[in-house]
Amino acid sequence: MKHIFLFAILISGFILSFAQTIEIDARNSDYQLIEGDLRMGNAGPVGSKIKVNNKYLTYADEPILPVMGEVHFTRIPREKWEETILKMKANGITIIAYYIFWIHHEEIEGQFNWGDNYDVKAFTALCQKHGLWAYPRLGPWCHGEVRNGGLPDWLMQKENIKLRSNDPAYLSYAEKWYSEIGHQLKGLFYKDGGPIIGIQLENEYWRGKGGESHILWLKQTAQKYGIDVPLYTVTGWRNASVPEKEVIPLWGGYPAAPWNTNLKKITKNESYLFQQPINDESIGHKENNDKYTPDYSLYPYLTCELGIGNQLSEHRRPIIDPIDGLAIASANLASGSNLPGYYVFAGGLNPVGKLTTLEEDRWESGYWNEYPDISYDFQAAIRETGEIAPSYQQVKSLHYFLNEFGSLLAPMQPMLPENNNDPDDLQYSFRTNGSSGFLFVSNYSRGFVKSTKNKVKFELKLKDETLSLPTQNIDIADSTIFIWPVNFMLNNITLKYATAQPICNISTNDTITWFFKATNGIPTEFLFSNKEVENVRSNGATIIQNENSWLIKDVKSGLNNPVFLNEKEGLRHRIFVLSEKQSQKFWHFKDKENELAFWSTANLTLDEKNQLRAFSTHQNDTIVCFNSQLSLINTTNTREQKTSLGLQQIILDNPEENPVCTIAKADLINDCQWIQLNPGKYDSRNELYHIQLFKEFSIENTAAIRKATLYLLGDVSCKMNVNKRWVNQEMQSGQVSLVDLTTYLSKGSNQLMFDFPYTDNETLFKATLEVEFYNSDKVIIGTDSSWTSVIQYKIPAPWDHPKTNLVSCSSHTPERFQNSAFTLNRFALSVDAQSLLKYKNAYLRINYEGNKAQCRSGQNLIADNFNNGTLWSINLNSVDFDQTEPLIIEIEPWHGHEEIYFDKVPQKVKGSIQTTVQPEHHQLFSFYYMNYQ
């Protein structure tokens, strides 16, 4: 018995040695609030002014904590602008940021394009239509993975000019650019009742103190042309130029680093740490050797480039985890940030220029990275196809929390631990006003599996009390992220704490419905002050009441197990705790007229006409409405029933049908015709004669020729002359020959001549000329009946014009050439175009083996992909293609010497490609309020 007792003591001590109580002292949370010190612009109309102090933004003199997401209108088809804006709004985005890329609007000097897909005025007006603020980023240099950072080639090529400086020559061009923007956005600024609440000047302007005068000139020039706004900002990281009190530095942090010059896995990233300072040295590729540091205490901590994703580059192809954006945003909020701004929230497709492609490019424009010509997917929350990504669902409940309770959080100071910089450290912070607050915790860091933090409890020392939570020590596993409320008011009821994250609330009649998100692996409990609560009930939970409090333990997650409690004054409360997976399917819409809450397996948007759109690629979806007075109306493919709580539940029955899609090998020269070279009647006296074949053609394109390749196949070898110049390469018989003609061809008229020996044998020949331009256009010219020939002894001189005859052609491939095809991994994809008309979106899924791939319609490149081991998607309703012709998929194979970092190495099964088309079903609902007063 004695031994057992000693053993029990030892075991008890062993367990206790692993328990840890994290103490946070919040009693000294006061800070100095400095108002009216920053020299911003017109704050807007009386009663709705937007102002900024050194800690947060205010609207009508009340704290706000907006959510900003970036999207580039020139990278999204105009007909998809509104759909994208509504998807962003449905996620809780309140500010839409966007670059205005100079090169997109003035690719050719003096020729501005503000129409069609480049209409910044129309895009900004759409933001206003849907109740969102707008935040243009003006440049002149923007970066955004655009060619020259957005500066036009014609400006880059001027010799006597110093770019991005106070050089008078450069300033004259920059001023004209700002005047154009001011003209386009006239009437849309906040002071005029428009949505534009601020602008960014330049981008990543790393000139330190010496660059302040240029930033100040840009601000003054913007104001000169009517760009008078409540906020003027710059990017603040690295050696940023920040003229004191004239602009606000904004910050950022990314999950990966496509600019890194190595191929190593990143296992330490400060973007996931709860810490200050806020200058993330990992953004960009330049070393910061200048110790210039502005006084950051003058400014609020706001961000503009939190990476919910990252772009794929030639040499780094990460797969961003769905919770990376959530972890980075949570880390910034925990550290005191009062504006999460995402770059980019919605991906897109690069437009194609008249002269060049417009992506950042190493080989043509000397930039740091090589990116796809078209794809700007960025692994964003809304993908380049318009699809909702898992990361979108991860941050949605966080944004609803900020939309609903950001005014409480914004003035709260972060209480941060010291020396919490090891990747395995538990990240925690308490943002507080001294008596209440929010506890932020993260045990996640990309590329690093964090240890489970065992037996954790938090002790919060407040001004008037000390709170210990939760009731039992908890284990915090890897990838756990949460925000817990402390002394949080549910109307007149004090919630002392909850081990679940608040999302939002809605009011109907005499009931307030609250939504919380459970924390994975941690039991949900609520502790309420007893003096304000009449009674509590909850199915399956443990309820403990004493003279001071109501403790509700082990609350079940789901739609059927709410907690009910009544205020002593009679108001009824209902609390739904959603699991983390359930919270991803929760939707909250709030405007001046409506506040709606749904749980839906389909994705949802709500437009200005109060039409609810449900959309997904599934055949069956469910929508549950939490507004008891609301009735959804839809006349097609739906069934209605009630949940066990009497909530309206709608079942969506979408038709099971998929557009037909077929794929086949597409030989580059298979589609062209065979030319019969042997004469109609052979004459042995002319055995030294030649058979000469001619093709005249014109190359007309606004861009220069990037590459020209000729593919030939025939029975006999030949010589070739291009534009009166002999090509010093003999073409072999019986196999496909490749000839580089890039330097031989020119824009305008061209001529090919092939010289063959005169023979009585059956002689066949075919060829394809493939010409690619710097704007990615591609022209293919193959042998057909338009070619001509002549049989003669003489070799034509450059000034000769032989009299030729049309050739005789055949489409039949003789058996001897059956195995001589040259495919270049090309595939022809045929889609039933008529079936696409039924859908707003139809996604072509492509799984292929290879390094890169391009999709073309005719001569136009419409989509491309850098392989990172994930599925490639193309929205067939977002790209412009000739529906009468097959799409051509061209795959660049692996060569074995690529230097690429992969999170997931793609499969390398030679010649593998699979495709399907998956339609997106849409259902539109209207609604009305029953017994609505």
Side-chain angles (χ1 to χ4, degrees), residues 20 24 42 44 48 151 316 375 405 416 447 692-693 744 827 836 839 856 915:
Q20 57 173 319
I24 302 176
N42 192 316
S48 58
L151 297 180
R316 293 194 71 89
S375 173
F405 309 116
L416 293 162
Q692 289 151 2
L693 197 63
Y744 288 85
F827 301 87
L836 298 181
Y839 308 104
R856 291 185 175 274
T915 61

Side-chain angles (χ1 to χ4, degrees), residues 138 171-172 174-176 178-183 189 191 199 201 216-229 232:
L138 310 187
L171 295 184
S172 67
E175 181 169 357
K176 185 177 181 182
Y178 270 32
S179 71
E180 280 284 330
I181 293 173
H183 174 71
F189 299 108
K191 65 184 176 66
I199 60 164
L201 305 164
L216 188 56
W217 180 88
L218 289 173
K219 177 184 175 182
Q220 292 167 345
T221 303
Q223 291 172 327
K224 175 180 178 181
Y225 291 102
I227 307 173
D228 186 5
V229 288
Y232 294 93

Side-chain angles (χ1 to χ4, degrees), residues 107-108 352-357 699-706 746-748 771-777:
E107 184 185 3
I108 299 172
V352 173
K354 294 180 178 179
L355 305 177
T356 65
T357 52
I699 296 177
E700 301 296 339
N701 198 288
T702 53
I705 297 171
R706 173 186 280 162
S746 61
K747 293 173 70 172
V771 183
E772 185 178 347
F773 301 91
Y774 275 96
N775 63 359
S776 81
D777 285 355

Side-chain angles (χ1 to χ4, degrees), residues 476-505:
I476 304 176
D478 176 53
S479 301
T480 300
I481 303 168
F482 61 79
I483 305 170
W484 290 349
V486 174
N487 283 333
F488 180 72
M489 298 305 297
L490 276 64
N491 197 49
N492 294 316
I493 298 176
T494 303
L495 174 60
K496 300 301 293 182
Y497 73 81
T499 60
Q501 180 172 317
I503 300 176
C504 65
N505 68 72

